[in-house]
Amino acid sequence: MTSASNIRYGSQSWDNAPIGVFDSGYGGLTCAREIAELMPNESIVYFGDTARCPYGPRDQAEVDLFVQQIGAWLMDKGVKMLVIACNTATAAGLEHAQQTFSVPILGAVEPGARAAARTTKNRKVGVIGTKGTIESGCYPRAIRNIDAGITVFSTATPRFVEIVENGIRLAKGPFEDLTSSVSKVYIRPEFRTIAIEYLEPLRRCEIDTLVLACTHYPMLKALIGGVIGTNVRLVSSAEELAKDVHDVLSMRGQLADPNHVGEHRFFTTSTDVDEFQAFGSRVFNRQIERPSYVSLSELEG
């Protein structure tokens, strides 16, 4: 019997079940946005674990547990694929998740590493990410598995997450007003000072490619690019991951029906769902529906 989500027309099959995407907070919405733009017919269930953000400073075993909890929650929503749109969570829990759950599971590291290896000309690649991502060594391993001759320079830049998640709250005025001019907030002098401190050592290494190894970081492209220099190509793991989502679903015959109208649903562990909606709409680049609150006890139970 064909399920409601699986439709077959002749030799062509479609699967209208949603794609599950999750992150430690808002950052994964950059990936969800890329998926929505590339595949407008696909439905997406997005989960932002804002109450436990950031993941970067946490122990990897703890983050792995979070991946298992959220993965199980999303599986209960009937997703056809899990996308770990968080580099820290990918490093800590991708393999375990792939062993646990029955649907294809993609992480953020491999697509970004592959794009960096293809992009670099002088074979000097920089990687910036959270403490957890950088200390795991996942990007140097992944990049060198593709091209062992590439030299990788990695730097933890945890305050970039702070700028994205919390920095705009430092200003006065309504949150909605801030998000409407978010780019101006990001390039405040104090934020540029932080960026220079992080990025100047990488610039001196003469890298020609920089991997933004955190899905929060594309929101800081103008700031990062302005400091690192126009001669350095920025690689977003979010963009590359969306391409992999399309390719895997296409190969498996699980793309949504071209006539299907994709639905986007949002869930968060943040008790302030209005703030999540306001900032999330800015990151997603379109108005999102009001997210539903999920308690940590529901995940942990």
Side-chain angles (χ1 to χ4, degrees):
M1 178 180 293
T2 302
S3 70
S5 64
N6 290 281
I7 305 169
R8 179 176 292 276
Y9 296 110
S11 61
Q12 178 64 61
S13 62
W14 311 107
D15 188 343
N16 293 334
I19 300 167
V21 182
F22 69 93
D23 181 69
S24 61
Y26 302 108
L29 285 167
T30 60
C31 179
R33 180 186 68 206
E34 296 293 339
I35 293 172
E37 291 179 355
L38 184 63
M39 295 171 282
N41 304 108
E42 296 291 345
S43 293
I44 298 171
V45 177
Y46 182 85
F47 190 99
D49 192 13
T50 312
R52 297 187 290 197
C53 182
Y55 282 2
R58 294 179 181 271
D59 181 80
Q60 290 227 315
E62 183 179 34
V63 177
D64 178 35
L65 175 61
F66 295 168
V67 173
Q68 290 290 308
Q69 291 172 345
I70 298 170
W73 187 91
L74 284 168
M75 289 296 292
D76 286 342
K77 297 296 181 183
V79 298
K80 61 184 176 184
M81 169 183 279
L82 288 174
V83 178
I84 307 178
C86 171
N87 287 267
T88 303
T90 298
L94 175 62
E95 290 185 13
H96 188 188
Q98 289 173 332
Q99 294 166 352
T100 302
F101 304 114
S102 58
V103 298
I105 304 175
L106 300 182
V109 174
E110 180 61 31
R114 187 174 61 247
R118 291 173 177 173
T119 299
T120 182
K121 295 180 179 179
N122 68 4
R123 301 172 95 189
K124 293 181 180 180
V125 173
V127 178
I128 56 174
T130 66
K131 179 175 178 287
T133 297
I134 298 304
E135 290 185 351
S136 74
C138 58
Y139 269 94
R141 286 195 300 272
I143 292 171
R144 290 173 185 147
N145 281 341
I146 299 168
D147 184 342
I150 294 176
T151 302
V152 182
F153 304 91
S154 303
T155 299
T157 53
R159 295 199 66 189
F160 281 165
V161 176
E162 174 188 331
I163 291 172
V164 174
E165 294 278 352
N166 302 310
I168 61 175
R169 296 176 179 81
L170 299 176
K172 296 179 181 179
F175 186 82
E176 292 80 2
D177 292 345
L178 292 175
T179 55
S180 68
S181 58
V182 70
S183 61
K184 295 180 181 178
V185 176
Y186 284 156
I187 57 174
R188 289 162 139 197
E190 58 265 42
F191 295 159
R192 182 172 174 81
T193 299
I194 293 169
I196 291 172
E197 180 181 345
Y198 280 149
L199 300 174
E200 180 60 24
L202 290 176
R203 195 182 65 80
R204 290 200 300 266
C205 291
E206 299 181 344
I207 62 171
D208 72 349
T209 302
L210 179 64
V211 181
L212 307 182
C214 175
T215 47
H216 290 70
Y217 293 0
M219 289 177 275
L220 300 177
K221 266 189 172 182
L223 173 63
I224 294 169
V227 172
I228 199 68
T230 56
N231 59 320
V232 177
R233 173 79 178 273
L234 303 183
V235 172
S236 166
S237 57
E239 295 175 7
E240 300 303 323
L241 181 52
K243 295 174 186 176
D244 276 14
V245 169
H246 175 275
D247 291 347
V248 171
L249 291 178
S250 178
M251 287 187 290
R252 293 172 60 91
Q254 287 187 283
L255 289 172
D257 187 328
N259 296 316
H260 181 251
V261 178
E263 298 180 356
H264 304 146
R265 292 184 291 160
F266 303 87
F267 298 83
T268 178
T269 53
S270 171
T271 56
D272 194 342
V273 294
D274 291 333
E275 181 178 85
F276 191 98
Q277 181 183 28
F279 192 29
S281 295
R282 178 66 183 181
V283 179
F284 197 60
N285 207 29
R286 69 184 77 174
Q287 184 67 27
I288 68 172
E289 68 176 32
R290 194 171 191 269
S292 298
Y293 169 68
V294 179
S295 68
L296 293 180
S297 61
E298 183 178 343
L299 289 177
E300 295 164 355

